[in-house]
Coordinates of all heavy atoms in Angstrom, one line a residue:
M3 N -80.1 -37.6 2.8 CA -79.5 -36.4 3.4 C -80.5 -35.2 3.3 O -81.0 -34.9 2.3 CB -78.2 -36.0 2.7 CG -77.5 -34.8 3.2 SD -76.0 -34.3 2.3 CE -75.0 -35.7 2.7
S4 N -80.7 -34.6 4.4 CA -81.6 -33.5 4.5 C -81.1 -32.2 3.8 O -79.8 -32.0 3.7 CB -81.8 -33.1 6.0 OG -82.5 -31.9 6.1
H5 N -82.0 -31.4 3.3 CA -81.5 -30.2 2.6 C -80.8 -29.3 3.5 O -80.0 -28.5 3.1 CB -82.7 -29.5 1.8 CG -83.9 -29.2 2.7 ND1 -84.0 -28.0 3.4 CD2 -84.9 -29.9 3.1 CE1 -85.1 -28.0 4.1 NE2 -85.7 -29.2 3.9
T6 N -81.2 -29.3 4.8 CA -80.5 -28.4 5.7 C -79.1 -28.8 6.0 O -78.2 -28.0 6.2 CB -81.3 -28.3 7.1 OG1 -81.5 -29.6 7.6 CG2 -82.6 -27.5 6.9
T7 N -78.8 -30.1 5.8 CA -77.5 -30.7 6.0 C -76.6 -30.3 4.8 O -75.5 -29.8 4.9 CB -77.5 -32.2 6.1 OG1 -78.3 -32.5 7.2 CG2 -76.1 -32.8 6.3
R8 N -77.2 -30.4 3.6 CA -76.5 -30.0 2.4 C -76.2 -28.5 2.3 O -75.2 -28.1 1.8 CB -77.3 -30.4 1.1 CG -77.3 -31.8 0.8 CD -77.8 -32.1 -0.6 NE -79.0 -31.4 -0.9 CZ -80.2 -32.0 -0.7 NH1 -80.3 -33.2 -0.1 NH2 -81.3 -31.3 -0.9
E9 N -77.1 -27.7 2.9 CA -76.9 -26.2 2.9 C -76.4 -25.7 4.2 O -76.5 -24.5 4.5 CB -78.3 -25.6 2.5 CG -78.9 -26.0 1.2 CD -78.1 -25.5 0.0 OE1 -77.5 -24.4 0.1 OE2 -78.1 -26.2 -1.0
K10 N -75.9 -26.6 5.0 CA -75.5 -26.3 6.4 C -74.6 -25.0 6.5 O -74.9 -24.1 7.2 CB -74.8 -27.4 7.0 CG -74.3 -27.2 8.4 CD -73.7 -28.5 9.0 CE -73.2 -28.3 10.4 NZ -72.6 -29.6 10.9
A11 N -73.5 -24.9 5.7 CA -72.6 -23.8 5.8 C -73.3 -22.5 5.4 O -73.1 -21.5 6.1 CB -71.4 -24.1 4.9
K12 N -74.1 -22.5 4.4 CA -74.8 -21.3 4.0 C -75.8 -20.9 5.0 O -75.9 -19.7 5.4 CB -75.5 -21.5 2.6 CG -76.2 -20.3 2.1 CD -76.7 -20.6 0.7 CE -77.9 -21.5 0.8 NZ -78.7 -21.6 -0.5
L13 N -76.5 -21.8 5.6 CA -77.5 -21.5 6.6 C -76.9 -21.0 7.9 O -77.3 -20.0 8.5 CB -78.4 -22.7 6.9 CG -79.3 -23.1 5.7 CD1 -80.0 -24.4 6.1 CD2 -80.3 -22.1 5.3
L14 N -75.8 -21.6 8.3 CA -75.1 -21.2 9.5 C -74.5 -19.8 9.3 O -74.5 -19.0 10.2 CB -74.0 -22.2 9.9 CG -74.5 -23.5 10.5 CD1 -73.4 -24.5 10.7 CD2 -75.2 -23.2 11.8
A15 N -74.0 -19.5 8.1 CA -73.5 -18.1 7.8 C -74.6 -17.1 8.0 O -74.4 -16.0 8.6 CB -72.9 -18.1 6.5
R16 N -75.8 -17.4 7.5 CA -76.9 -16.5 7.7 C -77.3 -16.3 9.2 O -77.6 -15.2 9.6 CB -78.2 -17.0 6.9 CG -78.0 -16.8 5.4 CD -79.2 -17.2 4.7 NE -80.2 -16.1 4.8 CZ -81.0 -15.7 3.9 NH1 -81.0 -16.4 2.7 NH2 -81.8 -14.7 4.0
V17 N -77.3 -17.4 9.9 CA -77.6 -17.4 11.3 C -76.6 -16.5 12.1 O -76.9 -15.7 12.9 CB -77.7 -18.8 12.0 CG1 -77.7 -18.8 13.5 CG2 -78.9 -19.5 11.4
R18 N -75.3 -16.7 11.7 CA -74.3 -15.8 12.3 C -74.5 -14.4 12.0 O -74.2 -13.5 12.9 CB -72.9 -16.3 11.9 CG -72.6 -17.7 12.5 CD -71.2 -18.2 12.2 NE -71.1 -19.5 12.7 CZ -71.0 -20.7 12.0 NH1 -71.0 -20.7 10.7 NH2 -70.9 -21.8 12.7
R19 N -74.9 -14.0 10.8 CA -75.2 -12.6 10.5 C -76.3 -12.1 11.3 O -76.3 -11.0 11.8 CB -75.4 -12.5 9.0 CG -74.1 -12.5 8.1 CD -74.4 -12.1 6.7 NE -75.3 -12.9 6.0 CZ -75.0 -14.0 5.3 NH1 -73.8 -14.4 5.3 NH2 -75.9 -14.7 4.7
I20 N -77.4 -13.0 11.4 CA -78.5 -12.6 12.3 C -78.1 -12.4 13.7 O -78.5 -11.4 14.4 CB -79.6 -13.6 12.2 CG1 -80.2 -13.6 10.7 CG2 -80.7 -13.4 13.2 CD1 -81.1 -14.8 10.4
R21 N -77.2 -13.2 14.2 CA -76.7 -13.1 15.6 C -76.0 -11.7 15.7 O -76.2 -11.0 16.7 CB -75.8 -14.2 15.9 CG -75.2 -14.0 17.4 CD -74.2 -15.0 17.8 NE -74.6 -16.4 17.5 CZ -73.8 -17.3 16.9 NH1 -72.6 -17.0 16.4 NH2 -74.2 -18.5 16.7
G22 N -75.2 -11.4 14.7 CA -74.6 -10.1 14.7 C -75.5 -8.9 14.8 O -75.3 -7.9 15.4
Q23 N -76.6 -9.1 14.0 CA -77.6 -8.0 14.0 C -78.3 -7.9 15.3 O -78.6 -6.8 15.8 CB -78.7 -8.3 12.9 CG -78.1 -8.1 11.5 CD -79.0 -8.5 10.4 OE1 -79.5 -9.6 10.4 NE2 -79.3 -7.5 9.5
I24 N -78.6 -9.0 16.0 CA -79.3 -9.0 17.3 C -78.3 -8.4 18.3 O -78.7 -7.6 19.2 CB -79.7 -10.4 17.7 CG1 -80.8 -10.9 16.7 CG2 -80.2 -10.5 19.1 CD1 -82.1 -10.1 16.7
E25 N -77.0 -8.7 18.2 CA -76.0 -8.2 19.1 C -76.0 -6.6 18.9 O -75.7 -5.9 19.9 CB -74.7 -8.8 18.9 CG -74.7 -10.3 19.5 CD -73.4 -11.0 19.1 OE1 -72.6 -10.6 18.3 OE2 -73.3 -12.2 19.6
A26 N -76.1 -6.2 17.7 CA -76.2 -4.7 17.5 C -77.4 -4.1 18.1 O -77.2 -3.0 18.7 CB -76.2 -4.4 16.0
V27 N -78.5 -4.8 18.2 CA -79.7 -4.3 18.9 C -79.3 -4.2 20.4 O -79.6 -3.2 21.0 CB -80.9 -5.2 18.7 CG1 -82.0 -4.8 19.6 CG2 -81.3 -5.2 17.2
E28 N -78.7 -5.2 20.9 CA -78.3 -5.2 22.3 C -77.4 -4.0 22.6 O -77.6 -3.3 23.6 CB -77.7 -6.5 22.7 CG -77.3 -6.7 24.1 CD -76.6 -8.0 24.5 OE1 -76.1 -8.7 23.6 OE2 -76.6 -8.3 25.7
R29 N -76.4 -3.9 21.8 CA -75.4 -2.8 22.0 C -76.1 -1.4 22.0 O -75.9 -0.5 22.8 CB -74.3 -2.8 21.0 CG -73.3 -3.9 21.2 CD -72.1 -3.8 20.4 NE -72.4 -3.8 18.9 CZ -72.5 -4.9 18.2 NH1 -72.4 -6.1 18.7 NH2 -72.8 -4.8 16.9
A30 N -77.1 -1.3 21.0 CA -77.8 0.0 20.9 C -78.6 0.3 22.1 O -78.7 1.4 22.6 CB -78.7 0.0 19.6
L31 N -79.3 -0.8 22.6 CA -80.1 -0.6 23.9 C -79.2 -0.3 25.1 O -79.5 0.6 25.9 CB -80.9 -1.8 24.1 CG -82.0 -2.1 23.1 CD1 -82.6 -3.5 23.4 CD2 -83.1 -1.0 23.2
E32 N -78.0 -1.0 25.1 CA -77.1 -0.7 26.3 C -76.6 0.7 26.2 O -76.3 1.3 27.3 CB -76.0 -1.7 26.3 CG -76.4 -3.1 26.7 CD -75.3 -4.1 26.7 OE1 -74.3 -3.9 26.0 OE2 -75.5 -5.2 27.3
S33 N -76.3 1.2 25.0 CA -75.8 2.6 24.9 C -76.8 3.6 24.9 O -76.5 4.8 24.6 CB -74.9 2.6 23.6 OG -75.7 2.6 22.5
E34 N -78.1 3.2 25.1 CA -79.2 4.1 25.1 C -79.4 4.9 23.8 O -79.6 6.1 23.8 CB -79.1 5.1 26.3 CG -79.2 4.3 27.6 CD -79.1 5.2 28.8 OE1 -79.1 6.5 28.7 OE2 -79.0 4.7 29.9
A35 N -79.2 4.2 22.7 CA -79.4 4.8 21.4 C -80.8 5.2 21.2 O -81.7 4.8 21.9 CB -79.0 3.8 20.3
G36 N -81.1 6.1 20.2 CA -82.4 6.6 20.0 C -83.3 5.5 19.5 O -82.9 4.5 18.9
C37 N -84.6 5.7 19.7 CA -85.6 4.6 19.4 C -85.6 4.4 17.8 O -85.8 3.3 17.4 CB -87.0 5.0 19.9 SG -87.7 6.5 19.3
S38 N -85.3 5.4 17.1 CA -85.3 5.3 15.6 C -84.2 4.3 15.2 O -84.4 3.4 14.4 CB -85.1 6.6 14.9 OG -85.0 6.5 13.5
E39 N -83.0 4.5 15.8 CA -81.9 3.6 15.5 C -82.3 2.1 15.9 O -82.0 1.2 15.1 CB -80.6 4.0 16.2 CG -79.4 3.1 15.9 CD -78.2 3.6 16.6 OE1 -78.1 4.8 17.1 OE2 -77.2 2.8 16.6
V40 N -82.8 2.0 17.1 CA -83.2 0.6 17.6 C -84.2 0.0 16.6 O -84.1 -1.2 16.3 CB -83.7 0.7 19.0 CG1 -84.2 -0.7 19.5 CG2 -82.5 1.1 20.0
L41 N -85.2 0.8 16.3 CA -86.2 0.3 15.4 C -85.7 -0.2 14.0 O -86.1 -1.2 13.5 CB -87.3 1.3 15.2 CG -88.2 1.5 16.4 CD1 -89.1 2.8 16.2 CD2 -89.1 0.3 16.6
H42 N -84.7 0.6 13.5 CA -84.1 0.2 12.2 C -83.3 -1.1 12.4 O -83.4 -2.0 11.5 CB -83.2 1.3 11.7 CG -83.9 2.4 11.0 ND1 -84.4 3.5 11.6 CD2 -84.2 2.5 9.7 CE1 -85.0 4.2 10.7 NE2 -84.9 3.7 9.5
L43 N -82.6 -1.2 13.5 CA -81.9 -2.5 13.7 C -82.8 -3.6 13.9 O -82.6 -4.7 13.4 CB -81.0 -2.3 15.0 CG -79.8 -1.3 14.9 CD1 -79.2 -1.1 16.2 CD2 -78.8 -1.9 13.9
L44 N -83.9 -3.4 14.6 CA -84.9 -4.5 14.8 C -85.5 -4.9 13.4 O -85.7 -6.1 13.1 CB -86.0 -4.1 15.7 CG -85.6 -4.0 17.2 CD1 -86.6 -3.3 18.0 CD2 -85.3 -5.4 17.7
A45 N -85.8 -3.9 12.6 CA -86.4 -4.2 11.3 C -85.5 -5.0 10.4 O -85.9 -5.9 9.7 CB -86.8 -2.9 10.6
A46 N -84.2 -4.6 10.5 CA -83.2 -5.4 9.7 C -83.1 -6.8 10.2 O -83.0 -7.7 9.4 CB -81.8 -4.6 9.8
S47 N -83.1 -7.0 11.5 CA -83.0 -8.3 12.1 C -84.2 -9.2 11.7 O -84.1 -10.3 11.4 CB -82.9 -8.2 13.6 OG -81.8 -7.5 14.0
R48 N -85.4 -8.5 11.8 CA -86.6 -9.3 11.4 C -86.5 -9.7 9.9 O -86.9 -10.8 9.6 CB -87.8 -8.4 11.7 CG -89.1 -9.1 11.4 CD -90.3 -8.3 11.7 NE -91.5 -9.1 11.4 CZ -92.7 -8.6 11.5 NH1 -92.9 -7.4 11.8 NH2 -93.7 -9.3 11.2
G49 N -86.1 -8.7 9.1 CA -86.0 -9.0 7.7 C -85.0 -10.2 7.4 O -85.3 -11.1 6.6
A50 N -83.9 -10.2 8.1 CA -82.9 -11.3 8.0 C -83.5 -12.6 8.4 O -83.3 -13.6 7.8 CB -81.7 -10.9 8.8
M51 N -84.2 -12.6 9.5 CA -84.9 -13.8 10.0 C -85.9 -14.3 9.0 O -86.0 -15.5 8.7 CB -85.5 -13.6 11.4 CG -86.1 -14.8 12.0 SD -84.8 -16.1 12.5 CE -84.1 -15.3 13.9
N52 N -86.7 -13.4 8.5 CA -87.7 -13.8 7.5 C -87.1 -14.3 6.3 O -87.6 -15.3 5.7 CB -88.6 -12.6 7.2 CG -89.6 -12.2 8.3 OD1 -89.9 -13.1 9.1 ND2 -90.1 -11.0 8.2
G53 N -86.0 -13.8 5.9 CA -85.2 -14.3 4.7 C -84.8 -15.7 4.9 O -84.8 -16.6 4.0
L54 N -84.2 -16.0 6.1 CA -83.8 -17.3 6.5 C -85.0 -18.3 6.5 O -84.9 -19.4 5.9 CB -83.1 -17.3 7.8 CG -82.7 -18.7 8.4 CD1 -81.6 -19.3 7.5 CD2 -82.1 -18.5 9.8
M55 N -86.1 -17.9 7.1 CA -87.3 -18.7 7.1 C -87.7 -19.0 5.7 O -88.1 -20.2 5.4 CB -88.4 -18.0 7.9 CG -89.6 -18.8 8.1 SD -89.4 -20.1 9.3 CE -91.0 -20.3 9.8
A56 N -87.8 -18.0 4.8 CA -88.2 -18.2 3.5 C -87.3 -19.2 2.7 O -87.8 -20.1 2.0 CB -88.3 -16.9 2.7
E57 N -86.0 -19.1 3.0 CA -85.1 -20.0 2.3 C -85.3 -21.5 2.7 O -85.3 -22.4 1.9 CB -83.6 -19.6 2.6 CG -82.6 -20.4 1.8 CD -81.2 -19.9 2.0 OE1 -81.0 -18.7 2.3 OE2 -80.3 -20.6 1.7
V58 N -85.5 -21.7 4.0 CA -85.7 -23.0 4.5 C -87.0 -23.6 4.1 O -87.1 -24.7 3.7 CB -85.5 -23.1 6.1 CG1 -85.9 -24.5 6.6 CG2 -84.1 -22.7 6.5
I59 N -88.1 -22.7 4.1 CA -89.4 -23.1 3.5 C -89.3 -23.5 2.1 O -89.8 -24.6 1.7 CB -90.4 -22.0 3.7 CG1 -90.8 -21.9 5.2 CG2 -91.6 -22.3 2.9 CD1 -91.7 -20.8 5.5
E60 N -88.6 -22.7 1.3 CA -88.5 -23.0 -0.1 C -87.7 -24.4 -0.3 O -88.2 -25.2 -1.1 CB -87.7 -21.9 -0.8 CG -87.5 -22.2 -2.3 CD -86.7 -21.1 -3.0 OE1 -86.6 -20.0 -2.5 OE2 -86.2 -21.4 -4.1
D61 N -86.7 -24.6 0.4 CA -86.0 -25.8 0.3 C -86.8 -27.0 0.7 O -86.8 -28.1 0.1 CB -84.7 -25.8 1.1 CG -83.6 -24.9 0.5 OD1 -83.7 -24.5 -0.6 OD2 -82.6 -24.6 1.3
H62 N -87.6 -26.8 1.8 CA -88.5 -27.9 2.2 C -89.6 -28.2 1.2 O -89.8 -29.4 0.9 CB -89.2 -27.4 3.5 CG -90.2 -28.4 4.1 ND1 -89.8 -29.5 4.9 CD2 -91.5 -28.6 3.9 CE1 -90.8 -30.2 5.2 NE2 -91.9 -29.7 4.6
V63 N -90.1 -27.2 0.6 CA -91.1 -27.4 -0.5 C -90.5 -28.2 -1.6 O -91.1 -29.2 -2.1 CB -91.8 -26.1 -1.0 CG1 -92.6 -26.3 -2.2 CG2 -92.6 -25.5 0.1
R64 N -89.3 -27.8 -2.1 CA -88.7 -28.5 -3.2 C -88.3 -29.9 -2.9 O -88.4 -30.8 -3.7 CB -87.4 -27.7 -3.6 CG -87.8 -26.4 -4.2 CD -86.5 -25.7 -4.7 NE -86.7 -24.3 -5.1 CZ -87.4 -23.9 -6.2 NH1 -87.8 -24.8 -7.1 NH2 -87.5 -22.6 -6.5
E65 N -87.9 -30.2 -1.6 CA -87.4 -31.5 -1.3 C -88.5 -32.4 -0.7 O -88.4 -33.6 -0.9 CB -86.3 -31.4 -0.2 CG -85.0 -30.7 -0.7 CD -84.3 -31.6 -1.6 OE1 -84.2 -32.8 -1.5 OE2 -83.6 -31.0 -2.6
H66 N -89.5 -31.9 0.0 CA -90.4 -32.7 0.7 C -91.9 -32.6 0.3 O -92.7 -33.3 0.8 CB -90.4 -32.4 2.2 CG -89.0 -32.6 2.8 ND1 -88.4 -33.9 3.0 CD2 -88.1 -31.7 3.2 CE1 -87.2 -33.7 3.5 NE2 -87.0 -32.5 3.6
V67 N -92.1 -31.7 -0.7 CA -93.5 -31.6 -1.2 C -93.5 -31.7 -2.7 O -94.4 -32.4 -3.3 CB -94.1 -30.2 -0.8 CG1 -95.5 -30.0 -1.4 CG2 -94.1 -30.1 0.7
A68 N -92.6 -31.1 -3.4 CA -92.7 -31.0 -4.9 C -91.7 -31.9 -5.7 O -91.8 -32.0 -6.9 CB -92.5 -29.6 -5.4
A69 N -90.9 -32.6 -5.0 CA -89.9 -33.5 -5.7 C -90.6 -34.6 -6.4 O -91.6 -35.2 -5.9 CB -88.9 -34.1 -4.7
N70 N -90.2 -34.9 -7.6 CA -90.8 -35.8 -8.5 C -90.8 -37.3 -7.9 O -91.7 -38.1 -8.2 CB -90.2 -35.8 -9.9 CG -90.5 -34.6 -10.6 OD1 -91.5 -33.9 -10.4 ND2 -89.6 -34.1 -11.5
D71 N -89.8 -37.6 -7.2 CA -89.6 -39.0 -6.7 C -90.4 -39.3 -5.4 O -90.3 -40.4 -4.9 CB -88.2 -39.3 -6.6 CG -87.4 -38.4 -5.5 OD1 -88.0 -37.4 -5.2 OD2 -86.4 -38.8 -5.1
L72 N -91.2 -38.4 -4.9 CA -91.9 -38.6 -3.6 C -93.1 -39.4 -3.8 O -93.8 -39.3 -4.8 CB -92.3 -37.3 -3.0 CG -91.1 -36.4 -2.5 CD1 -91.7 -35.0 -2.0 CD2 -90.4 -37.0 -1.4
T73 N -93.4 -40.2 -2.8 CA -94.7 -40.9 -2.8 C -95.8 -40.0 -2.4 O -95.4 -38.9 -1.8 CB -94.7 -42.1 -1.8 OG1 -94.5 -41.6 -0.5 CG2 -93.5 -43.1 -2.2
E74 N -97.0 -40.3 -2.6 CA -98.1 -39.4 -2.1 C -98.1 -39.3 -0.6 O -98.3 -38.2 -0.1 CB -99.4 -39.9 -2.6 CG -99.7 -39.6 -4.1 CD -99.7 -38.1 -4.4 OE1 -100.3 -37.3 -3.6 OE2 -99.0 -37.7 -5.3
T75 N -97.7 -40.4 0.1 CA -97.6 -40.3 1.6 C -96.6 -39.4 2.0 O -96.8 -38.5 2.9 CB -97.4 -41.7 2.1 OG1 -98.4 -42.6 1.7 CG2 -97.3 -41.7 3.6
A76 N -95.4 -39.5 1.4 CA -94.3 -38.6 1.8 C -94.6 -37.1 1.4 O -94.3 -36.2 2.2 CB -93.0 -39.0 1.0
R77 N -95.3 -36.9 0.3 CA -95.7 -35.6 -0.1 C -96.7 -35.0 0.9 O -96.6 -33.8 1.3 CB -96.3 -35.6 -1.5 CG -96.4 -34.3 -2.2 CD -97.0 -34.5 -3.6 NE -96.3 -35.5 -4.4 CZ -95.2 -35.2 -5.1 NH1 -94.7 -34.0 -5.2 NH2 -94.7 -36.2 -5.9
A78 N -97.6 -35.8 1.4 CA -98.6 -35.4 2.3 C -97.9 -35.0 3.7 O -98.3 -34.0 4.3 CB -99.7 -36.4 2.5
E79 N -97.0 -35.9 4.1 CA -96.3 -35.6 5.3 C -95.5 -34.3 5.3 O -95.5 -33.5 6.2 CB -95.3 -36.8 5.6 CG -96.0 -38.0 6.1 CD -95.1 -39.2 6.2 OE1 -93.9 -39.1 6.1 OE2 -95.6 -40.3 6.5
G80 N -94.8 -34.1 4.1 CA -94.0 -32.9 4.0 C -94.9 -31.7 4.0 O -94.6 -30.6 4.6
T81 N -96.1 -31.8 3.4 CA -97.1 -30.7 3.4 C -97.6 -30.4 4.8 O -97.7 -29.2 5.2 CB -98.3 -31.0 2.4 OG1 -97.7 -31.2 1.1 CG2 -99.3 -29.9 2.4
D82 N -97.9 -31.4 5.5 CA -98.4 -31.3 6.9 C -97.4 -30.6 7.8 O -97.7 -29.8 8.6 CB -98.9 -32.6 7.5 CG -100.1 -33.2 6.8 OD1 -100.9 -32.4 6.2 OD2 -100.4 -34.4 7.0
E83 N -96.1 -31.1 7.6 CA -95.0 -30.5 8.4 C -94.9 -29.0 8.1 O -94.8 -28.2 9.1 CB -93.7 -31.2 8.1 CG -93.6 -32.6 8.6 CD -92.3 -33.3 8.1 OE1 -91.6 -32.7 7.2 OE2 -92.1 -34.4 8.5
L84 N -95.0 -28.6 6.9 CA -94.8 -27.2 6.5 C -96.0 -26.4 7.0 O -95.8 -25.3 7.6 CB -94.8 -27.1 5.0 CG -94.6 -25.7 4.4 CD1 -93.4 -25.0 5.0 CD2 -94.6 -25.7 2.9
L85 N -97.2 -26.9 6.9 CA -98.4 -26.2 7.4 C -98.3 -26.0 8.9 O -98.7 -24.9 9.4 CB -99.7 -26.9 7.0 CG -99.9 -26.8 5.5 CD1 -101.2 -27.7 5.1 CD2 -100.1 -25.4 5.0
D86 N -97.8 -27.0 9.6 CA -97.7 -26.8 11.1 C -96.7 -25.7 11.4 O -97.0 -24.9 12.3 CB -97.2 -28.2 11.7 CG -98.3 -29.2 11.8 OD1 -99.5 -28.9 11.6 OD2 -97.9 -30.4 12.0
V87 N -95.6 -25.6 10.7 CA -94.6 -24.6 11.0 C -95.2 -23.2 10.6 O -95.0 -22.3 11.4 CB -93.3 -24.9 10.2 CG1 -92.4 -23.7 10.3 CG2 -92.7 -26.1 10.8
I88 N -95.9 -23.1 9.5 CA -96.4 -21.9 9.1 C -97.5 -21.4 10.1 O -97.5 -20.2 10.4 CB -97.0 -22.0 7.6 CG1 -95.9 -22.1 6.6 CG2 -97.9 -20.7 7.3 CD1 -96.3 -22.4 5.2
R89 N -98.3 -22.3 10.5 CA -99.3 -21.9 11.6 C -98.6 -21.3 12.8 O -99.1 -20.3 13.4 CB -100.2 -23.1 11.9 CG -101.3 -23.4 10.9 CD -102.2 -24.5 11.4 NE -103.0 -25.0 10.3 CZ -102.7 -26.1 9.7 NH1 -101.7 -26.9 10.1 NH2 -103.4 -26.6 8.6
A90 N -97.6 -22.0 13.3 CA -96.9 -21.5 14.5 C -96.2 -20.2 14.2 O -96.2 -19.3 15.0 CB -95.8 -22.6 14.9
Y91 N -95.7 -20.0 13.0 CA -95.0 -18.8 12.6 C -95.9 -17.6 12.6 O -95.6 -16.5 12.9 CB -94.3 -19.0 11.3 CG -93.5 -17.8 10.8 CD1 -92.3 -17.5 11.4 CD2 -93.9 -17.1 9.7 CE1 -91.5 -16.5 10.9 CE2 -93.1 -16.0 9.3 CZ -91.9 -15.7 9.9 OH -91.2 -14.7 9.4
L92 N -97.2 -17.9 12.1 CA -98.1 -16.8 12.0 C -98.9 -16.4 13.3 O -99.6 -15.4 13.3 CB -99.1 -17.1 10.9 CG -98.6 -17.2 9.5 CD1 -99.6 -17.7 8.5 CD2 -97.9 -15.9 9.0
K93 N -98.6 -17.1 14.4 CA -99.3 -16.8 15.6 C -98.7 -15.6 16.2 O -97.7 -15.2 16.1 CB -99.1 -18.0 16.6 CG -100.1 -19.1 16.3 CD -100.0 -20.2 17.4 CE -101.0 -21.3 17.1 NZ -101.0 -22.3 18.1

């Protein structure tokens, strides 16, 4: 069972909160809110997304890279997967 499956409810709750934050950005833009308010909403949304990303990365490392019962092949695959995602994230 994948760690995202075990943590499904918690992760989905975070995604729903992020959706709410993005919808607040949309509402602010539609109502022609000031740029300062929009920037604050965007910063909060980005922080929430980064927090979700950090949580999933941490779980991935614990389950697919650092777990004691992994073979070297499985550990290398988990590491490669993580590095691919981090490279894409940093672009």
